[in-house]
């Protein structure tokens, strides 16, 4: 490598490495932010392994079902997701009935909001890509829209085996 390329590579690498470590407090009983935890499998933190990689950096805790949000989520799902996903059967993508119970709301939101990075870095999502051979596109949803989709998906039962 030429000595002229080294400063360019360093200039590109430094912002990337800084972006990976920006942690926000998790807000629970003085616990450190999950993003600051030591890296685990594939360089991911334990939080990222459990909850996915993306803009949702605090665990989403679901309360009582919000039927209004679920209806909004259903409309978004039908318009943006149903071409590739069904609830109880394999289609272009995996069946999504019961997905919130299986993976958790935070993981689902990060998958919806950050599919590219999830496919390239998260071991479980890499397995899905190998099985389905199709990447989910980034649909350009906001965190609030992703949250309404989670609210809808949590109303959908897991497929019968």
């Amino acid at each position: 490598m030429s000595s002229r390329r080294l400063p360019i590579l360093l200039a590109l690498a430094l912002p990337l490495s800084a972006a990976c470590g920006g942690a926000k407090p998790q807000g629970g009983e003085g616990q450190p932010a999950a993003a600051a935890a030591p890296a685990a499998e594939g360089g991911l933190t334990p939080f990222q392994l459990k909850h996915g990689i993306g803009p949702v950096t605090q665990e989403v805790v679901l309360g009582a079902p919000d039927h209004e949000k679920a209806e909004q989520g259903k409309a978004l799902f039908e318009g943006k997701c149903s071409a590739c996903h069904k609830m109880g059967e394999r289609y272009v993508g995996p069946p999504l009935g019961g997905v919130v119970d299986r993976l958790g709301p935070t993981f689902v939101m990060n998958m919806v909001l950050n599919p590219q990075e999830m496919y390239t870095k998260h071991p479980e999502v890499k397995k899905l890509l190998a099985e389905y051979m199709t990447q989910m596109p980034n649909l350009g949803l906001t965190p609030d829209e992703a949250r309404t989709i989670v609210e809808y998906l949590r109303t959908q039962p897991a497929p019968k085996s």
Side-chain angles (χ1 to χ4, degrees):
M1 174 175 359
S2 77
S3 60
R4 291 178 45 199
R5 288 188 184 172
L6 186 59
I8 294 170
L9 289 175
L10 285 175
L12 292 173
L14 287 175
L16 289 174
S17 65
C20 293
K24 293 182 182 177
Q26 203 165 342
E29 305 299 317
Q31 296 172 343
E41 183 177 341
L44 301 180
T45 67
F47 181 90
Q48 291 171 325
L49 284 171
K50 181 176 181 182
H51 300 288
I53 307 159
V56 184
T57 57
Q58 296 183 16
E59 183 175 0
V60 174
V61 178
L62 300 175
D66 183 328
H67 300 292
E68 185 178 326
K69 274 188 181 179
E71 284 301 312
Q72 294 169 359
K74 179 180 181 183
L76 272 171
F77 181 88
E78 288 173 351
K80 301 247 182 199
C81 311
S82 65
C84 296
H85 294 284
K86 304 300 176 204
M87 292 301 154
E89 64 186 85
R90 179 187 176 112
Y91 201 53
V92 175
L96 294 182
V99 70
V100 175
D101 290 335
R102 283 191 315 275
L103 299 175
T106 312
F107 190 98
V108 173
M109 287 181 67
N110 278 326
M111 186 67 207
V112 168
L113 295 169
N114 192 29
Q116 184 61 39
E117 193 170 13
M118 291 284 281
Y119 279 116
T120 58
K121 294 182 180 178
H122 198 282
E124 293 305 313
V125 180
K126 285 179 180 182
K127 289 177 190 174
L128 285 173
L129 179 58
E131 181 179 349
Y132 287 88
M133 304 299 290
T134 302
Q135 280 191 349
M136 186 173 112
N138 187 326
L139 300 171
L141 298 174
T142 66
D144 287 338
E145 290 170 324
R147 179 62 182 85
T148 65
I149 289 173
V150 162
E151 196 64 33
Y152 168 64
L153 290 175
R154 76 187 278 210
T155 69
Q156 303 303 300
K160 305 261 190 253
S161 300

